[in-house]
Amino acid sequence: MVGLVPTMGALHEGHFSLMRAAKSECAPVVVSIFVNPKQFAPSEDFQKYPRAFDADRTALENLGVDYLFAPTPEEMYPRGFRTTVAVEGLSEKLEGRSRPGHFQGVTTVVLKLLEIVQPSLAYFGRKDAQQARIIRQMALDLNLGTHIVVRPILREPDGLALSSRNVYLNADERRAATALYRSLNAARLEVMAGERNPAHLLAALRRVIDAEPAVVLDYAEIVDAETLEPVEILRGECLILLAAKVGKTRLIDNALIEPDNQTFRVTL
Ligand code: AMP
């Protein structure tokens, strides 16, 4: 059973956790490294996105990954390339509102990777929860025959979600960036205390962000995990999704809220 882990490289433990999961369930395991120009707006960080190809390749060898697929932009998008794949309804909100066209770039490249590699399983992180939801919908809608596996978020000891973009943070910003995790945790504590009103949960979250002047919230929403529509009361599976700028660096994070025996479990 072929397993695929798509990445943009600058690999960290979050990526490695997906590869270890793939190794335990699949053989061979294919990892792709492709910094996909189509998912970056002209104003974004495509040119300076961290690239660490040699270190990545060594890490993949040490992990026992079977194949590395690292195409060039010209190989993926030869002259005359014209097709865009869009998952309508899920792609325009949240990240999609702040980054128009971003998810069309993601779904276009992921469909190509799935077509090229033909994996039975493809592994994604809940770190990018909206992306994972959109890709699962694409796989279903287009009968891709690939099962989409979504794995937990790996975090630094102080809670910051691992991200290739964390290298952009200076020491002060790195300290301030824990506000994302702390804000989700504040909402989690409110849920544990019985709060079910998303507006109140988001108020608790905002208080933490607002106390950190270096962090500017882009959005924070509590949405149904299937529809990604805001919920009026906690019901079923929900996500707390947020994006914030820490200095010039844009970071995202989220928490999963699941029903659990008359109450809710919140997983960061
Ligand atoms: P990227 O290289 O940022 O495109 O990420 C490649 C894959 O790794 C995506 O499915 C991400 O959701 C996943 N990923 C990134 N960061 C983490 C993390 N901290 N924990 C778990 N998965 C992650």
Side-chain angles (χ1 to χ4, degrees):
M1 227 169 36
V2 178
L4 171 66
V5 184
T7 81
M8 298 204 299
L11 300 175
H12 52 65
E13 278 300 320
H15 299 117
F16 299 146
S17 71
L18 301 182
M19 295 166 198
R20 288 194 189 98
K23 287 266 300 170
S24 74
E25 291 166 324
C26 302
V29 170
V30 182
V31 169
S32 62
I33 296 181
F34 182 59
V35 185
N36 174 31
K38 285 198 188 293
Q39 70 189 70
F40 292 81
S43 59
E44 292 180 349
D45 56 344
F46 174 70
Q47 293 300 340
K48 73 173 182 110
Y49 191 84
R51 287 163 174 88
F53 189 74
D54 292 339
D56 287 352
R57 189 172 46 193
T58 305
L60 295 178
E61 279 169 11
N62 292 339
L63 268 172
V65 165
D66 300 288
Y67 296 98
L68 166 58
F69 179 52
T72 63
E74 294 72 27
E75 284 170 317
M76 288 300 267
Y77 306 118
R79 192 198 300 264
F81 185 92
R82 299 192 67 83
T83 302
T84 299
V85 184
V87 177
E88 292 170 355
L90 298 176
S91 298
E92 298 81 9
K93 49 186 108 210
L94 299 153
E95 276 300 279
R97 189 176 320 131
S98 298
R99 305 181 68 187
H102 169 66
F103 285 121
Q104 284 83 340
V106 170
T107 40
T108 301
V109 80
V110 171
L111 179 58
K112 282 180 67 81
L113 293 169
L114 295 178
E115 290 292 346
I116 293 164
V117 177
Q118 302 273 319
S120 298
L121 285 83
Y123 292 79
F124 294 86
R126 182 175 47 87
K127 163 79 191 337
D128 301 274
Q130 186 179 6
Q131 167 178 286
R133 174 69 192 89
I134 289 169
I135 288 168
R136 186 158 60 74
Q137 190 67 45
M138 175 178 74
L140 185 72
D141 289 351
L142 300 181
N143 310 89
L144 295 185
T146 298
H147 179 70
I148 303 301
V149 181
V150 183
R151 302 279 310 167
I153 303 177
L154 262 80
R155 298 179 178 281
E156 299 284 2
D158 65 5
L160 179 67
L162 295 180
S163 164
S164 305
R165 289 192 169 96
N166 290 350
V167 300
Y168 296 151
L169 302 171
N170 68 31
D172 287 340
E173 290 166 346
R174 173 64 188 78
R175 271 190 292 277
T178 60
L180 277 70
Y181 169 82
R182 288 185 283 111
S183 73
L184 291 168
N185 202 35
R188 184 177 74 91
L189 293 175
E190 293 287 323
V191 173
M192 287 172 67
E195 182 60 65
R196 300 289 180 261
N197 182 335
H200 295 167
L201 298 173
L202 291 173
L205 177 150
R206 281 207 187 86
R207 279 196 289 278
V208 175
I209 299 281
D210 290 346
E212 199 63 72
V215 180
V216 178
L217 196 62
D218 176 359
Y219 64 80
E221 289 189 36
I222 300 182
V223 301
D224 180 277
E226 275 298 298
T227 64
L228 304 182
E229 289 292 335
V231 292
E232 277 166 17
I233 179 101
L234 294 190
R235 181 175 301 132
E237 238 179 66
C238 300
L239 290 160
I240 313 176
L241 298 173
L242 67 83
K245 273 209 157 172
V246 185
K248 290 196 167 125
T249 303
R250 193 165 177 287
L251 299 176
I252 59 173
D253 203 345
N254 70 81
L256 175 65
I257 308 179
E258 296 165 290
D260 180 24
N261 262 326
Q262 316 299 328
T263 171
F264 287 91
R265 180 174 58 240
V266 183
T267 312
L268 268 53

